[in-house]
Amino acid sequence: MDFVAILGSAIQQALGPTAIIYCLAAIGLNVHFGYTGLLNFGQAGFMMVAGYAIACAVTIFASSLWLGVLVGLVLAALLALALGVPTLRLRADYLAIVTIASAEIIRQTIAAASFSEYFGGQDGVTDFIAGFRDANPYSGSVGIPGLFRWSAFDIWVMTVGWLLVAISCLIVFLLMRSPWGRVLKSIREDENAVRSLGKNVYAYKMQALVIGGIFGALAGFMVSLRSAAVGPSFFATDVTFFAYTVLLIGGAARVFGPVVGAIIFWFLITALGGFFSQATAGSDPLIPEAIMDPTQASLMRFIFLGLGLMLLMIFRPQGIFGDRRELAIDAR
Amino acid sequence: MPAETEPTLTKGGGTAAPAATRSAEARAALAGVEHEPGAKKPDPIVVAHGIRRQFGGLTAVDVEHLEIQKGVITALIGPNGAGKTTFFNLLTGFDRPNEGTWSFKGQALDKVPAYKVARMGMVRTFQLTKVLSRLTVIENMRVGATDQRGEGLLSAMFAWLWRGQEQDNTVKADELLERFLLHKKREDFAGSLSGGQRKLLEMARALMADPELVMLDEPMAGVNPALKQSLLGHVKSLREEGRTVLFVEHDMDMVRDISDWVVVMAQGKVVAEGPPHTVMSDQRVIDAYLGSHHDQDLSEDVEEQILAEAQAEIDAEHPEETK
């Protein structure tokens, strides 16, 4: 058992591009769910729209990535409006149903064979990243020898990514300490009370939906930039649920909740994956093949993660950053 | 409308003399009003006409005409299911009637959403108290203030744009908390308050908006007698400040004590209105709501007497069955 290797890869993932993607997605969900109480189960849809926008700006329209970024943000905002207009006047469940369905509709449509000329069908879009690569100021790899190492490209992605995370956290912090943020939190607690105090609840929910969707779009950009490719498989429904897990681990309605949550989530899932793959590898594995073969072992991390999530919900449901006092109230 | 919280009022209820005069003035203004459902008032703040709300086959509210006099305390009473709360919801825009027109300060409210009704100065509370549990008491109060610059998305991120106003609102909120005896709970989560304290908080929060008309849906439900006294004082003090109060209540002592005018609803209709004492001796009200022994304490003697009367009535109606 090579614990150093497990630790190394776990740290690499916990701070790497993938964690950044889930962190940004969870920041969006934090605005939606944590602060406003909106159940958006279609964050993957926002990510997908933005991820394809940045790729298609180059491949279809032969323009720059920057234009793709702009188009992606606008499309994410439009998607939020399209989802919000019919559902935000209704009970919270309707938004959940509509968002989860629309994320799948978007994914199936983009992946459809009829559009493969533009979107590449199941294979997705590649070869759009040249501009981003050229802008990379780093050369050579960075890391701690023997433990982990990031390529120059990864470091570049991470620089941009963590910068986006920092800006997003700052925006969330500034917004949520203001009276505007207070109205959002009030809406989460009781919509009708807020309405009786003269606030346009519908408009606030719409603003929150758009802003959270734009953070989702940032996550989508990072997917494209990290992989140098986008495809439908990057934006399956489980992406949204992983992002929710990240949010709940860190603690909802806390500015740094998604950041801490993403780091912990990817550290644990990588470490567990590494442990089980090593424990079942080789001719004389730690766990005998009669109990578990390597294919089964690759799924064990999700089982343990689920168990961990259950324990977290039982013993610290407010997440790492949550306030114990808030919980005492929920129980009433 | 300026809401002066004069020192005499902050002690919870105002002194006897001005209260008596305001009350006398209010009752004097209503002296010439007929004691009939739909009576015209000299200076109405709310006028509702032909309001009908149906839920499927059930007509919950069917109010032909109702006017609420400005500057007085009006009580809305009636049996359970009479449509009082539904009528409240209709007036404040939380529900839409099938037909009817209603206005506030002369402005029609037919197409005005609930949040705009509140901004116009008609603020309500709820029968099932709605505090914002996971916000502190002071934050609950701050939400109540209207026209906050920091509530716009564009200015929210720049604290210097709204900090001054926020401080003013906080000062005002602290004054109200002091007056409603909640200042010790300032930093606690509203969800940790008791039922009675929540009622107080909700009323105080409604006052942050400086409403002209305060609509209280069962302010006394579930409140202990001691707190009830101070709540009564608070409601009276609203009238002293020149606000109009409309409240739904089942507590007849309270209705008798503080209201200047009583409107009785039964089965969706206004069946009677008038000053408290007149209304409570009105036969229609007694039949529909109060019951014929509403003003007696239920001692053993009275109970026996009631039973005897009832028995006599049955005997008289069915002489053969009793044998």
Side-chain angles (χ1 to χ4, degrees):
Chain A
M1 184 71 52
D2 184 357
F3 283 106
V4 176
I6 293 176
L7 182 69
S9 62
I11 292 175
Q12 188 177 12
Q13 281 295 311
L15 301 175
T18 317
I20 294 170
I21 291 166
Y22 283 90
C23 179
L24 285 167
I27 288 173
L29 290 178
N30 200 16
V31 173
H32 289 154
F33 173 72
Y35 289 105
T36 324
L38 299 173
L39 276 173
N40 169 19
F41 282 129
Q43 191 71 329
F46 289 95
M47 292 166 68
M48 186 163 197
V49 163
Y52 269 81
I54 202 172
C56 295
V58 176
T59 54
I60 301 177
F61 300 103
S63 65
S64 76
L65 284 172
W66 285 111
L67 186 75
V69 169
L70 192 69
V71 171
L73 293 176
V74 170
L75 284 179
L78 288 178
L79 177 63
L81 288 175
L83 296 177
V85 166
T87 55
L88 286 184
R89 284 187 205 278
L90 307 172
R91 254 187 6 231
D93 346 14
Y94 291 93
L95 181 71
I97 297 165
V98 167
T99 46
I100 197 169
S102 62
E104 268 309 280
I105 291 169
I106 291 169
R107 196 166 74 90
Q108 301 290 350
T109 310
I110 290 182
S114 332
F115 299 126
S116 61
E117 190 188 336
Y118 308 109
F119 300 133
Q122 290 293 345
D123 300 331
V125 185
T126 50
D127 277 345
F128 55 86
I129 200 90
F132 183 69
R133 269 188 210 284
D134 292 345
N136 185 356
Y138 300 102
S139 56
S141 60
V142 177
I144 300 170
L147 198 56
F148 57 86
R149 194 183 71 82
W150 288 293
S151 69
F153 181 71
D154 276 349
I155 283 289
W156 175 223
V157 172
M158 283 163 64
T159 307
V160 174
W162 285 117
L163 204 64
L164 283 178
V165 169
I167 295 169
S168 304
C169 283
L170 182 68
I171 291 174
V172 170
F173 167 74
L174 288 175
L175 282 176
M176 294 309 161
R177 69 165 180 172
S178 73
W180 184 84
R182 186 167 60 215
V183 175
L184 289 197
K185 287 180 242 172
S186 308
I187 289 171
R188 175 190 71 196
E189 298 301 316
D190 195 313
E191 233 180 274
N192 278 332
V194 180
R195 204 168 275 135
S196 78
L197 296 171
K199 322 286 178 203
N200 187 350
V201 170
Y202 181 68
Y204 280 103
K205 288 208 282 191
M206 190 64 89
Q207 289 167 359
L209 192 64
V210 169
I211 290 171
I214 283 175
F215 287 131
L218 297 182
F221 295 148
M222 292 313 296
V223 171
S224 297
L225 296 180
R226 171 205 60 173
S227 324
V230 283
S233 60
F234 288 104
F235 304 102
T237 322
D238 56 0
V239 172
T240 305
F241 293 116
F242 280 180
Y244 263 105
T245 312
V246 162
L247 176 62
L248 294 176
I249 290 175
R254 290 287 177 276
V255 173
F256 288 112
V259 181
V260 174
I263 292 172
I264 293 175
F265 179 85
W266 284 103
F267 184 88
L268 285 181
I269 209 162
T270 319
L272 283 169
F275 172 78
F276 280 105
S277 88
Q278 283 198 26
T280 51
S283 53
D284 182 24
L286 185 68
I287 302 172
E289 193 144 354
I291 296 175
M292 195 187 294
D293 63 37
T295 328
Q296 292 165 331
S298 66
L299 295 173
M300 283 306 288
R301 56 185 179 153
F302 292 111
I303 295 174
F304 272 84
L305 193 80
L307 186 69
L309 196 63
M310 277 162 65
L311 292 174
L312 183 77
M313 286 298 108
I314 292 166
F315 293 107
R316 202 173 168 82
Q318 72 275 43
I320 306 285
F321 268 152
D323 188 335
R324 187 99 215 167
R325 284 193 307 159
E326 286 193 4
L327 218 73
I329 292 162
D330 278 346
R332 278 161 201 265
Chain B
M1 194 200 64
E4 264 113 56
T5 42
E6 285 156 14
T8 47
L9 300 177
T10 53
K11 284 176 193 137
T15 51
T21 48
R22 269 303 292 166
S23 169
E25 263 175 51
R27 293 191 184 199
L30 289 164
V33 177
E34 285 179 76
H35 299 172
E36 277 307 308
K40 295 261 187 291
K41 311 286 186 318
D43 184 13
I45 190 165
V46 171
V47 178
H49 190 77
I51 304 270
R52 214 148 62 85
R53 177 69 171 108
Q54 288 171 311
F55 297 109
L58 175 81
T59 305
V61 168
D62 186 5
V63 171
E64 229 161 77
H65 191 83
L66 183 67
E67 294 182 3
I68 309 290
Q69 169 74 5
K70 193 175 175 182
V72 308
I73 301 179
T74 305
L76 185 58
I77 62 170
N80 293 328
K84 304 181 297 290
T85 296
T86 310
F87 188 54
F88 246 56
N89 289 344
L90 293 172
L91 287 182
T92 48
F94 277 80
D95 193 5
R96 297 277 144 195
N98 298 76
E99 53 191 83
T101 54
W102 68 109
S103 64
F104 175 63
K105 294 192 290 183
Q107 282 174 283
L109 293 181
D110 305 35
K111 296 200 170 61
V112 182
Y115 74 94
K116 279 192 183 154
V117 172
R119 281 184 198 172
M120 287 166 74
M122 182 168 170
V123 175
R124 69 170 297 181
T125 66
F126 295 87
Q127 185 177 358
L128 301 170
T129 325
K130 292 187 189 299
V131 296
L132 309 166
S133 300
R134 284 186 290 168
L135 267 63
T136 59
V137 168
I138 187 74
E139 286 282 76
N140 263 269
M141 294 295 289
R142 289 192 188 118
V143 177
T146 45
D147 288 327
Q148 296 189 44
R149 279 190 288 277
E151 284 185 355
L153 178 56
L154 295 178
S155 50
M157 277 201 273
F158 310 107
W160 66 88
L161 291 175
W162 45 261
R163 194 154 276 159
Q165 194 189 25
E166 183 88 345
Q167 275 159 4
D168 295 346
N169 286 338
T170 308
V171 169
K172 186 173 166 193
D174 279 327
E175 278 171 13
L176 280 165
L177 286 180
E178 191 91 17
R179 177 173 155 196
F180 281 81
L181 307 174
L182 283 171
H183 51 284
K184 279 188 194 133
K185 298 278 179 186
R186 190 178 190 269
E187 301 300 333
D188 289 2
F189 279 121
S192 69
L193 298 181
S194 73
Q197 289 168 330
R198 287 175 194 222
K199 289 269 176 202
L200 287 172
L201 174 59
E202 203 184 29
M203 204 186 286
R205 190 179 62 193
L207 293 183
M208 282 297 288
D210 272 336
E212 273 183 65
L213 172 60
V214 187
M215 303 186 54
L216 307 170
D217 199 346
E218 300 207 14
M220 296 296 161
V223 175
N224 74 56
L227 199 53
K228 210 173 258 185
Q229 280 308 314
S230 85
L231 261 175
L232 280 178
H234 292 314
V235 176
K236 281 183 191 167
S237 71
L238 297 179
R239 181 179 56 194
E240 310 322 317
E241 291 166 9
R243 303 184 208 275
T244 310
V245 180
L246 175 65
F247 70 98
V248 170
E249 190 51 66
H250 282 298
D251 183 334
M252 282 308 122
D253 288 333
M254 173 187 178
V255 172
R256 214 170 281 139
D257 184 13
I258 67 168
S259 55
D260 304 308
W261 193 259
V262 179
V263 175
V264 188
M265 280 182 80
Q267 291 170 339
K269 292 180 167 43
V270 175
V271 293
E273 56 177 299
H277 288 97
T278 323
V279 161
M280 285 183 195
S281 52
D282 188 311
Q283 195 57 43
R284 287 168 299 190
V285 180
I286 291 169
D287 290 346
Y289 181 42
L290 297 171
S292 47
H293 299 276
H294 68 95
D295 49 359
Q296 292 167 326
D297 281 331
L298 205 62
S299 68
E300 268 178 45
D301 293 352
V302 178
E303 200 177 340
E304 266 170 35
Q305 191 194 332
I306 293 169
L307 284 174
E309 275 174 24
Q311 190 61 48
E313 231 170 79
I314 295 168
D315 291 350
E317 277 175 31
H318 310 281
E320 72 284 358
E321 279 173 30
T322 49
K323 280 166 194 166

